[in-house]
């Protein structure tokens, strides 16, 4: 079975902390994505990567950065967490044609 | 900018047929996908249309009209387990398959 694994299911952090969300896929996919999901707002793309060390901003990149040092791993970094970054974060991967994405179970982050 | 419109809620009874529409205005178009998400779960892929017409996969079908910037997901023989949120997503570029998602439609299936 194909798998996208996010390191934490639930996370509570304090305002101002640096936060790392990790995502690993075992499908040898070229593309990886980070989304945040808030009630009524669907999935909004934060950053995506189409190759190792390659990254592009999505629709809402402010306050976030990413790292892709290995093909299977894509990390989302909140440089200084703020309460408005409390959300569900979803990682996904897809093959190069981008037709079908596989999602992780999500990390529910609460910033207090 | 990019925008996708889909109804926020749909209710239907078990055994019925329901259609969830999606209209889009995007800067690029390479395909329309549909995903299902149960409460507390991850979105899972249902279908992808790159060309006009109907694609059928079991009880689910998806339709695309590129000239109308419109698509729909058709669910037949509804079951209780089909109660979930359904998202349409437009692939807006060829590089990395970047997609823009709609806000989702919550389908409630009643007995």
């Amino acid at each position: 079975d194909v798998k996208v694994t996010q390191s934490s299911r639930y996370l509570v952090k304090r305002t101002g902390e640096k936060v790392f969300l990790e995502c690993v896929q075992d499908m040898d996919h070229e593309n990886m994505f980070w989304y945040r999901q808030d009630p009524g707002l669907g999935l909004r793309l934060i950053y995506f990567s189409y190759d190792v060390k390659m990254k592009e901003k999505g629709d809402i990149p402010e306050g976030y950065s990413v790292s892709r040092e290995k093909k299977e791993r894509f990390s989302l970094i909140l440089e200084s967490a703020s309460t408005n970054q409390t959300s569900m974060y979803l990682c996904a991967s897809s093959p190069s044609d981008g037709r079908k994405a596989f999602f992780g179970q999500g990390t529910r982050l609460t910033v207090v | 900018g990019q925008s996708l419109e889909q109804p926020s809620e749909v209710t239907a009874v078990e055994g019925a047929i329901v259609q969830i529409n999606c209209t889009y205005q995007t800067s690029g178009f390479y395909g329309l996908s549909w995903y299902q998400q149960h409460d507390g779960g991850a979105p899972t892929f249902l279908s992808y249309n790159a060309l006009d017409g109907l694609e059928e996969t079991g009880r689910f079908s998806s339709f695309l009209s590129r000239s109308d910037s419109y698509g729909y997901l058709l669910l037949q023989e509804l079951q209780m387990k089909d109660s979930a949120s359904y998202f349409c997503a437009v692939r807006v570029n060829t590089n990395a398959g970047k997609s823009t998602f709609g806000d989702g439609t919550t389908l409630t299936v009643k007995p």
Side-chain angles (χ1 to χ4, degrees):
Chain A
D1 251 0
V2 295
K3 217 167 198 180
V4 178
T5 304
Q6 295 184 228
S7 53
S8 304
R9 194 73 199 267
Y10 299 94
L11 215 50
V12 180
K13 295 292 181 180
R14 295 193 179 278
T15 302
E17 273 193 82
K18 190 169 186 175
V19 181
F20 293 85
L21 303 183
E22 307 285 347
C23 175
V24 177
Q25 51 102 356
D26 66 359
M27 295 163 281
D28 203 36
H29 283 166
E30 286 75 18
N31 305 326
M32 295 190 75
F33 309 85
W34 275 106
Y35 295 89
R36 64 176 282 175
Q37 184 174 27
D38 301 287
L41 293 179
L43 280 73
R44 293 181 291 166
L45 182 64
I46 304 171
Y47 267 95
F48 64 102
S49 167
Y50 52 90
D51 200 352
V52 175
K53 296 192 187 294
M54 305 305 290
K55 60 188 179 186
E56 286 196 23
K57 294 179 180 179
D59 301 315
I60 51 164
E62 297 77 21
Y64 304 95
S65 62
V66 290
S67 171
R68 193 164 180 203
E69 296 296 317
K70 293 186 177 182
K71 190 175 186 181
E72 67 271 19
R73 187 179 296 270
F74 193 35
S75 303
L76 180 70
I77 303 150
L78 287 68
E79 297 289 342
S80 177
S82 64
T83 54
N84 62 13
Q85 293 178 309
T86 291
S87 186
M88 171 68 83
Y89 289 87
L90 289 162
C91 174
S93 71
S94 73
S96 55
D97 67 7
R99 292 178 169 225
K100 177 178 180 178
F102 297 83
F103 284 82
Q105 285 297 314
T107 297
R108 185 165 293 283
L109 172 68
T110 303
V111 183
V112 297
Chain B
Q2 329 275 22
S3 76
L4 283 78
E5 297 285 332
Q6 50 180 129
S8 57
E9 293 180 353
V10 172
T11 301
V13 296
E14 223 175 347
I17 299 172
V18 74
Q19 180 174 311
I20 299 174
N21 299 321
C22 176
T23 57
Y24 57 88
Q25 281 187 314
T26 57
S27 55
F29 181 85
Y30 293 89
L32 180 71
S33 300
W34 289 92
Y35 289 83
Q36 178 192 61
Q37 185 180 31
H38 286 100
D39 256 355
T44 56
F45 173 85
L46 292 176
S47 68
Y48 179 84
N49 294 66
L51 302 175
D52 292 351
L54 191 69
E55 297 275 347
E56 297 181 66
T57 310
R59 293 187 298 113
F60 294 3
S61 303
S62 57
F63 173 82
L64 174 65
S65 169
R66 287 173 296 170
S67 59
D68 295 321
S69 298
Y70 164 75
Y72 65 73
L73 180 69
L74 190 75
L75 297 86
Q76 302 182 76
E77 301 171 20
L78 279 175
Q79 301 175 10
M80 299 296 291
K81 67 178 182 180
D82 297 329
S83 291
S85 293
Y86 292 85
F87 295 89
C88 60
V90 168
R91 186 170 158 223
V92 294
N93 73 355
T94 57
N95 186 22
K98 177 185 174 184
S99 292
T100 294
F101 280 75
D103 290 345
T105 298
T106 300
L107 170 64
T108 302
V109 180
K110 297 190 170 181

